Each structure stands twice: as C-alpha cells, then as structure tokens.
C-alpha cells in the first residue's frame, strides 16, 4: 500500500514535528506518527485524523518549549549572575578591563564619526549619483604639481548640452568676492556665487522662502542663506529687499536658502543670477560668454535618470579643440560629485578638499586602537583564568559541554563590551564638541538617530566582544575537570601555551604603541623643521593686507606713501603674491629656449620688495628707481631658473616675460621658498609692477615695529578706510605661512592624541598583568624571600619579564615605523633625515612608561612580608 | 539474583519491556503503543512510549536497529527494538518478584474486602 497524497498528514504539522523530534535518527518517529495517522484516517475519516494529528503536536509542544528555552534562560540567568559576581569580586581587574575597552571604543567611535562625515560629503543631494563636475586637463600647465583644473570656459556648458543628450541640466558657477551693502552696513563677502538657474535643479539646496524654479531667472536676483539673512536683515523680512553689490548694482532678494551643510565640497553664502553678468560686464560680457579662453567658471552637469552613466563616462575625456577652434591639448574630463571631496585637490578648488588617504589613515588608527584594547581584554582574562578554574571544573563535572562554556565566556565578554559601549557613548557625547573643533568639522551625534548607526554601534560591541572574548573562551573551556579538581590546576603545557599567547599579545601591543610613538616624534620633528626652516626671506612683524578695491589697485602710491610716513611702520611694499605662495606662471622667453620649455612662476613687485623681505641677491643688482628702463625691461631670476636655463653668467642676458620689449636679466636671487615645502623650489622670475597690470596689485605688505601692535593695526585700518570703502582684512605673514601646513599640523596633533590613547591602553594592560601575576606569585616570592632573596633581586626578577616583552615589541616597531615614516616624509621636498634619535627617544619613553606602570605592583609584591604570604601553607 | 541487585524499573518501563518481548520481530513504536493501549486501556501518546524506550535502551535492556525500508511506510525505515540478554534477565526478575509478592493472594480475597 502506498500513501496517496491526500492521505498524508497536514504538512505544517509534520514540519513542526520534525523540529520537535529531531533526535530520532532518520525521523522514524515522524513515520510512526504517519502510520498511526493513517490508521485513524481509515477508521475515522480525514477530518478526525487531522484533528488527531494536531492534538498530538499540541500535547508535545509545551514540554518541548520548556526544554528548549526555559532551561536555556535559566542558564543565561546563571551566567549573568556569575559574571556580575565576578565583576564585583575582582573590582580592580574589572575596572582595568572595562577602562581599556571604553577608551578603545570611544576613540574608535569618534574616528568612525569623522570617517562617516568625510564619506557623507555631497551625498545629501537627491541626484548625487548623477551629478558630475567638469574638469579641464591642461597637460602643459602644471600648477601645484597638478594639471587638472576645476575651471572651464563659459561657453562649454551650452556646447556639452548640445553634444550629449544624456545631460539633463548643466550649471555654471562663478565664484567672486563682492562688497555687499544694506543700509550702509558694508561687508566684504568671499562666498558669493553667480550661478545658472539650473543650479537649484541639479543640487538639493532647499529654499526656506521663495520659488526655486524661478528665483534665479531674472537678472539681479539674489538668494542668501539664513545665516546671511540674519546678518544683514536681523528681524526684517528680507524678501524683495534690495542689496547693493560693489556699491554699483542693486540685487533683489528672491529667496532664502537653508544654510549649506558642512559636508558639502563648496560653501556659499549668496547665489546671484548668472544673467546679471550681461549688464555687469557690458560689452565685455558678450565676449566673456563666448570666450573659450576665459577659464573662469565651474561647470556641473546632471544626467537624465534614464541615461547610462557607465556609457557616458566612457565618452570622456573629450578634446577641447573641437569646440575651441584653435589647436590646444586641453581635455575635458568629468568627475562624479561624490568623488570630489575625497579625491584630493585639483587646481582652483572652491574649498580645500580632503583626501581618501586621510580616511584610510584614520581607519587604520581606529582599528589599531581597537586591537590594542581587545588584546588587553584577552590578556587579562586569560591571565585571570586561575580565578575561574574551579568554576569551570565544577561546571564540566555537572555536565557542561565545551560549547556551553565557550558560550558562557563569550557572553561574558559581550557583557563587558556592552557595558563599555554604554560608557563610551556617554563619553563620545561629552567629547564630540572638543573633537569637532580639533578637526574643524561639524561632526554631530545626530547621525546617531537612525537604525543604521544604532546597529553599527551594537555591531562594534559585538565585534569587540567576540574578538576579545574568543581566545579566553577557548582557553578557559579547555581545562580538564579532573586535573582541576585534583588540584593539579592545568597541565604545564597548556599553561605555557597560554602565557605564550599572552606574551605575544603584550608584544603586539607594545609594537603598535612604540611604532605610534616613533611616528609621532618624526611627525613632530618634521613639522618643527618646516616651522623653523629658513625660508630665505623675513617673516616677522609683517602685516599683509589683500587689496580688492579696483580703484586702490590702480592708484596705490598715495596710500603707500601715507603709511610710510608713520614712524612705527618701518616699510611698505606691494606685490602680486606673498613670497611664499607664488603660484601663477607665465610663458617666458630667452635665447635658446626650447619650444616645450616650461613657464616660470612670476612675482610682480615694487622696487623695495627684495629689501623689504630681505631676499638676498646672489648676483647682479636690485631694481632701481634711477634706471628708467627697469620698469619694463629688468628681470631678476632665482637660482632654480638660472640652473634650468643653464646660464653660466646670467646677468645681462636677453629675457622676456610676455612684454612687447625684450628685457634683460639684471640679477639673480638666492633660492627662497616661494611655495610650500612639499615641492622643490621652482624657476621664478621677478619683475616690477607696471600701471598696465594694475590687477597684479594684490597685496600690501607692511613691516611694523614690535611695540604697540594693536595701536599700529588700528592706525593701518584707519588709513585704509580713508582710501577705500572695502572692509579691511589683514593677517600676519607668519600666521599665513602656518596655514599652509595646517593639514599636517592637524594630522600631527591628532596623531599625538591617538598615540597617547594607544600607549595608555597598553599601559593599562601591563598594569593589569602585573597586578595578576604578582598576585599569583605571592607564594613564590614569599619562599624566595625566606630563602634570602632581597627586595631588589625580586623586583628585578619580576620586572625583567615585562621588560623582555616590551623590548621585543620595540624591536618589531622599528622597521614598521621606519617604512611608514619613509613614505610620509617623501611627501615633502624638504624634509628631515631619518636618524636614530627619534627611535631612541621612543624606546626611552616606552620603557620608562612600562617600568613606571609595573613598578608599583612589583614593588608591592617584593616588599610583602613572607609571613603573610606563607601563613596559610 | 545473587551478586547484582536488580535495577528497579518503573511501571511504564516494565510494560514497554514486556510489550517488546511479546511483539518480537514487529516491535516498533506503533504496535508497541497499540499493545499498551490494549492491555491498559489508557490512551498512550507516542511521547509516553518513546521515553521508556529510550531509558530502557540506555540501561541496556533494549537495543534498536533500523529495519529495511517497507512499502507501507512509503519506503521509509522503522526503528525496531529487541531485548538484550540483560533485558530478558530483567523480565525474569520482574516476573519472579511479582509472583513472590503476589504469592498466596487470590483475587477473590481482595475483591471480598471491597
């Protein structure tokens, strides 16, 4: 007889049955039920049979559940009780353990927040994955070591939209600095964007008031952020008010924007409508919009949602020649919006970008700190295992399997991890403002208000719990009950193995910490080197003032004269760049210049510039007012330029830098650092400012006496005010130089903090270990002492072991940190040598710290009266 | 029984042991259960049968093996039990003890006391 389909018992019920009776081999029990079911089926009919079957299941379920869960819960409850008891009983040990984890977690969470912030840049735009930025590559024009430019010519937008049907919207951004005035409150605004109306369609910048579709359509429309609305209008309603721009043009406010989020690769305060430029530029405007040479605007495009972005990407780069009509090597590239912030800088970025390498770097630090903290836990728990051995033995005797014990100890470390998590979250909340200012980022804990972050927090602690708990669990559960209970503790072999493992962990911790210390010292030295290196020019007591006012640029002499009259102002000079940021270059010409010869950086200066900055002449003479031809025909080169050209005797040689009349080299200056230490000093040409190049008047440099600085600054401000309506912004030259290395300085600072944390955790671990081992060796020490060992010899005996571990860690740290620093220092064209001194310094620091950490415990153990430790034998 | 005292069996265990002996080659769960239902008049659940079976097997009175697949169970195998020598000894012991306890007590006397 075969079972027909309708005769088989209810499937679901049978499924349950299989779950409940899984242990009966080949489910013979299920078959038993089936057989009985068939009997009932044949005698009482299908309905009764089904009912019978279900009744069987219902009867067995309660017991099943009881066995399955109830006992588990009882066990978990017991584990929890024991764990809490242990925490309470071994307070020092538990506090050390949890502190290590808390510090590790706090650091990691902070760093993760930072990483999250960095990665979140520009992702809040609805169309973020379909927005691209146009880059132009100018293969012949390498600026700051990069030939990619974020600026493109204005007509490119229309040309691209015409040629690529995939493009849905495109917008140009022209960033300018404007003087804005409302009711005679003048402010000089640096974050003024002039944009196409499509800007608001491409990017998601919500308007608080106003209509985003039409807000930028009319000429002279302006949108401002909430912050700016507050600044200019206070309580007034800004809508439809008139803002005066550059004291010439009246813009009407057509909307208020929400403030731009901090995680945007550009920041702006004002959006002016692009077509305002036609009336502003007048006749030039027409040319400007058609000018393929006017690399001034930034172009962003957004693709249709239906278009294939991979296919679109493949079409680039495109040669610009096709549009420009004149031969050029320039290429059009596209860059996804979300890659911009972490893609490093191209030229002419609106804001300095970050670098994906920094994200990697910080992730590595977070991971290392976390590892050190986990090692700590593993170490202490295995070292403290003796305290738990009897428990393990008893548990095994009453029937706990190895997996029960593994589960118990893993659960315990999870408990520790969760306690640590709670404390760290509180700490993070407290520390976040400090950390944010440290990084100058607006990190916020608000990102924590979603499931994702909660789950990742829990993820962290589970990760930590399992990582930290795995070895102790494995180790503790391996004890043999017989030997434990017989009092033999554990076999020599397994004890050795575990202490071997523990020692490895300590070594790893100290390797990591020492490597971090060595790196910190190197970074610090390099940064100090940069800070104090002779720049080749003077930088003290020099106030620099950027000039924006066109009228002042055209006629600066009277102001310069006025300023020089003041006795506390020692000297005044004017130039296009400050001597440490000479970045623009121009085509130059000399006899015998190869066709592909490079452009030179150039400085346009006043007669007294070289004297002012104390830049030394290596050869020839300085510019002179007496020699009339100097104004148009005199050039001074730096040594790099001379050696590039290859002149033996440069003075008097023909030279020209885009002027109608050929000039000659009148002198050579010693190399000075005209850009950051990341790069070698490049060829530079210096010539005098002339009236026809008034726009090159960009900076006033004012040398002041060291007394009464604030009085002098006030005076300077007054003088400027009398010449120009523009608000004055000044800064000290050395501050500005420091800004160049801010990123490195920040890095150095952060590195120092995290190094401190790592070494602190490692020391906590060492302390704990010393605490436990000296406790375990009390008797040994007592016996040694009764046999005549001195406090000294015992201290040395105990310390020696720890020092051995630390030393091995240090030795491992050497090559690792050497290579890391070798790579980092390669970023700098001018750098310190890798000497032994930082290594030795780090060794001294680490040894001293670890000695200090263990000494208390060791001393206490060594001083203990043997009578006390041996009393119970 | 001389040297080893008999391990006491619970009543269900005793009944199951006996049922397995009775059924011989056919001693798997379903008939055992039927047998028990028949002789005791109680409704035995499978669980109530498996339990003593397991215990008896652990105590070494029973052993089990999987039968060849049978057509009746759709090609599935069943777990057949049989007595071990120890099991038979146990049955003998039970029988002996029971007889001894009941020796000289006719059913009629008991009924009269009602």
């Amino acid at each position: 007889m075969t079972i027909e389909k309708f005769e088989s018992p209810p499937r679901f019920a049978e499924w349950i049955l299989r779950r409940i009776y899984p242990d009966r081999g080949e489910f013979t029990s299920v078959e038993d039920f089936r057989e009985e079911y068939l009997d009932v089926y044949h005698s009482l009919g299908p309905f009764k049979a089904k009912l019978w079957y279900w009744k069987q299941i219902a009867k067995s379920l309660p017991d099943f559940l009881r066995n399955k869960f109830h006992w588990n819960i009882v066990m978990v409850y017991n584990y929890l009780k024991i764990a809490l008891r242990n925490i309470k009983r071994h307070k020092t040990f538990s506090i050390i353990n949890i502190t290590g984890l808390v510090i590790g977690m706090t650091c990691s969470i902070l760093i993760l927040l930072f990483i999250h912030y960095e990665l979140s840049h520009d992702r809040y735009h609805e169309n973020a994955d379909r927005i691209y930025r146009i880059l132009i590559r100018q293969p012949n024009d390498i600026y700051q070591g990069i030939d990619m430019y974020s600026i493109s010519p204005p007509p490119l937008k229309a040309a691209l939209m015409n040629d690529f049907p995939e493009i849905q919207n495109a917008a140009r951004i022209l960033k300018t600095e404007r003087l804005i005035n409302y009711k005679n409150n003048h402010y000089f605004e640096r974050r003024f964007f002039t944009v196409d109306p499509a800007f608001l369609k491409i990017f998601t910048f919500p308007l608080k008031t106003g209509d985003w579709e039409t807000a930028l359509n009319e000429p002279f429309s302006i949108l401002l952020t909430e912050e700016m609305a507050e600044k200019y209008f206070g309580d007034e309603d800004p809508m439809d008010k008139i803002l005066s721009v550059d004291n010439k043009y009246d813009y009407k406010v057509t909307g208020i924007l929400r403030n731009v989020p901090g995680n945007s690769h550009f920041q702006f305060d004002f959006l002016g409508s692009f077509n305002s430029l036609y009336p502003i530029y007048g006749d030039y405007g027409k040319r400007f919009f058609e000018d393929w040479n006017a690399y001034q605007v930034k172009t962003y495009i957004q693709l249709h949602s239906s278009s294939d972005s991979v296919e679109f990407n493949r079409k680039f780069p495109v040669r610009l020649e096709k549009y420009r009509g004149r031969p050029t090597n320039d290429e059009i590239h596209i860059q996804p919006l979300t890659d911009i912030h972490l893609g490093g800088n191209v030229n002419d970025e609106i804001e300095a970008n970050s670098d994906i390498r920094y994200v990697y770097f910080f992730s590595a630090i977070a991971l290392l700190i976390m590892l050190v903290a986990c090692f700590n836990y593993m170490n202490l728990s295995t070292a403290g295992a003796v305290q738990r051995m009897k428990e393990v033995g008893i548990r095994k005797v009453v029937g706990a399997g190895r997996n029960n014990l593994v589960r118990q100890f893993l659960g315990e470390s999870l408990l520790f991890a969760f306690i640590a998590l709670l404390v760290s979250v509180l700490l993070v909340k407290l520390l976040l403002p400090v950390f944010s200012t440290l990084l100058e980022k607006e990190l916020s804990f608000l990102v924590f208000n979603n499931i994702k972050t909660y789950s990742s927090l829990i993820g962290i602690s589970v990760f930590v719990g399992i990582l930290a708990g795995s070895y102790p669990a494995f180790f503790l559960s391996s004890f043999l009950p017989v030997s434990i209970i017989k009092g033999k503790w554990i076999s020599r072999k397994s004890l050795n193995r575990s202490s071997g493992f523990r020692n490895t962990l300590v070594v790893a911790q100290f390797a990591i910490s020492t490597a971090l210390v060595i790196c910190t010292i190197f970074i610090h030295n390099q940064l100090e080197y940069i800070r104090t290196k002779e720049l080749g020019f003077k930088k003290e007591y020099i106030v620099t003032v950027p000039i924006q006012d066109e009228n002042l640029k055209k006629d600066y002499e009277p102001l310069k004269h006025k300023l020089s009259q003041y006795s506390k102002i020692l000297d005044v000079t004017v130039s296009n760049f400050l001597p440490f940021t000479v970045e623009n270059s121009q085509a130059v010409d000399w006899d015998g210049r190869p066709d592909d010869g490079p452009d030179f950086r150039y400085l346009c200066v006043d007669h007294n510039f070289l004297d002012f900055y104390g830049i030394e002449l290596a050869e020839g003479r300085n510019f002179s007012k007496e020699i009339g031809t100097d104004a148009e025909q005199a050039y001074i080169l730096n040594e790099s330029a001379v050696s590039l050209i290859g002149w033996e005797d440069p003075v008097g040689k023909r030279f020209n830098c885009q002027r109608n009349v050929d000039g000659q080299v009148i002198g050579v200056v010693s190399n000075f650092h005209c850009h950051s230490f990341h790069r070698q000093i490049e060829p530079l040409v210096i010539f005098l400012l002339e009236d026809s190049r008034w726009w090159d008047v960009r900076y006033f440099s004012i040398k002041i006496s060291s007394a009464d600085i604030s009085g002098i600054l006030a005076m300077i401000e007054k003088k400027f005010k009398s010449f120009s309506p523009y608000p004055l912004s000044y800064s000290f030259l050395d501050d500005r130089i420091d800004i160049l290395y801010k990123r490195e300085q920040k890095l150095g600072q952060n590195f120092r903090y995290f190094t401190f944390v790592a070494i602190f955790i490692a020391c906590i671990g060492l302390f704990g270990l010393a605490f436990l081992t000296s406790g375990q060796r009390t008797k040994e020490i007592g016996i040694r002492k009764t046999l005549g060992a001195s406090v000294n010899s015992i201290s040395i005996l105990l310390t020696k072991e720890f020092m051995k571990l630390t030393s091995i860690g240090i030795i491992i740290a050497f090559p690792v940190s050497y290579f890391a620093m070798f790579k980092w220092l390669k970023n700098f064209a001018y750098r310190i040598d890798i000497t032994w001194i930082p290594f030795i310094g780090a060794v001294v620091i680490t040894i001293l710290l670890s000695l200090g950490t263990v000494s208390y415990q060791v001393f206490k153990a060594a001083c203990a009266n043997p009578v006390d430790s041996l009393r119970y034998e | 029984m001389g040297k080893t005292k008999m391990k006491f069996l619970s009543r269900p265990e005793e009944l199951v042991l006996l049922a397995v002996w009775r059924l011989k080659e056919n001693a798997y769960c379903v008939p055992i259960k039927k047998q028990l239902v028949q002789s005791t008049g109680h409704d035995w659940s499978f669980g109530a049968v498996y339990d003593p079976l397991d215990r008896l097997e652990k105590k070494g009175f029973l052993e089990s093996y999987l039968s060849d697949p049978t057509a009746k169970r759709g090609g599935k195998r069943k777990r057949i039990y049989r007595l071990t020598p120890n099991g038979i000894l146990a049955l003998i012991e039970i029988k002996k003890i029971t007889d001894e306890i009941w020796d000289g007590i006719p059913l009629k006397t008991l009924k009269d006391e009602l």
Side-chain angles (χ1 to χ4, degrees), chain A residues 778-802:
Chain A
T778 319
K779 274 174 197 158
E780 180 197 330
I781 295 165
I783 292 169
R784 279 178 190 276
K785 281 187 92 172
T786 39
L787 292 178
S790 65
V791 171
N792 273 345
S793 65
I794 288 181
S795 305
I796 290 170
L797 176 84
L798 289 177
T799 317
K800 212 169 64 192
E801 278 174 33
F802 293 117

Side-chain angles (χ1 to χ4, degrees), chain A residues 233-300:
Chain A
F233 299 99
D235 296 336
E236 276 181 76
D237 177 17
M239 285 299 281
D240 297 329
K241 294 278 184 341
I242 303 295
L243 280 178
S244 159
V245 174
D246 293 342
N247 284 335
K248 268 195 242 168
Y249 311 105
D250 289 340
Y251 277 72
K252 191 169 89 174
V253 177
T254 53
I256 312 292
L257 291 151
R258 301 262 176 224
N259 288 333
V260 181
N263 51 355
S264 168
H265 82 281
F266 54 59
Q267 297 286 330
F268 58 85
D269 298 318
F270 298 90
L271 292 179
S273 53
F274 206 80
N275 50 15
S276 324
L277 293 178
Y278 291 92
I280 291 176
Y281 283 172
D283 284 344
Y284 174 64
K286 273 192 203 101
R287 272 187 290 129
F288 174 71
F289 290 110
E290 299 306 322
D291 189 355
W292 284 96
N293 290 324
Y295 282 41
Q296 290 192 24
V297 299
K298 289 156 209 298
T299 310
Y300 289 81

Side-chain angles (χ1 to χ4, degrees), chain A residues 658-776:
Chain A
Q658 300 212 329
R659 279 167 161 166
N660 299 330
V661 199
D662 274 349
Q664 55 176 329
V665 178
I666 60 162
V668 177
V669 290
S670 313
N671 272 346
F672 61 95
H673 285 278
C674 49
H675 20 245
S676 81
F677 289 115
H678 292 282
R679 285 181 293 137
Q680 295 283 353
I681 296 172
E682 289 170 24
L684 171 78
V685 54
I686 308 173
F687 50 89
L688 287 174
L689 286 161
E690 33 187 341
D691 296 342
S692 60
R693 295 175 65 113
W694 56 265
W695 60 82
D696 268 334
V697 178
R698 294 209 184 107
Y699 289 99
F700 264 70
S701 305
I702 304 164
K703 195 181 287 174
I704 58 173
S705 71
S706 55
D708 186 28
I709 290 174
S710 59
I712 302 171
L713 290 176
M715 209 283 304
I716 293 174
E717 188 157 4
K718 215 172 79 195
K719 285 279 174 324
F720 267 89
K721 272 275 152 66
S722 63
F723 278 85
S724 161
Y726 280 69
L728 177 78
S729 66
Y730 55 80
S731 48
F732 284 92
L733 190 74
D734 35 8
D735 291 345
R736 295 185 70 112
I737 293 175
D738 286 344
I739 290 174
L740 271 186
Y741 305 105
K742 209 164 137 197
R743 204 157 80 161
E744 272 84 16
Q745 298 283 3
K746 282 245 117 58
L747 177 84
Q749 213 177 6
N750 289 318
F751 208 94
R752 230 170 301 159
Y753 290 121
F754 291 125
T755 304
F756 178 74
V757 167
I759 203 161
F760 185 68
I761 299 178
C763 282
I764 291 180
L766 203 60
F767 180 81
L769 213 56
F771 174 74
L772 285 167
T773 43
S774 62
Q776 282 161 18

Side-chain angles (χ1 to χ4, degrees), chain A residues 26 87 132 179 198 283 329 550 607 628 822:
Chain A
E26 303 195 347
I87 291 178
Y132 294 84
L179 182 72
D283 284 344
N329 282 328
E550 211 172 283
H607 284 90
F822 186 73

Side-chain angles (χ1 to χ4, degrees), chain A residues 11 18 41 135 173 386 396 511 574 820:
Chain A
R11 247 196 222 178
R18 268 170 213 274
Y41 184 90
L135 296 179
I173 300 174
V386 183
K396 281 203 165 174
V574 180

Side-chain angles (χ1 to χ4, degrees), chain A residues 24 29 31 35-36 39, chain B residues 28 33-34 54 73 81:
Chain A
R24 304 229 21 112
S29 54
E31 295 308 320
E35 205 177 315
E36 176 95 7
D39 284 352
Chain B
Y28 68 100
K33 187 181 158 221
K34 264 186 200 142
D54 276 353
R73 286 165 72 107
Y81 293 87

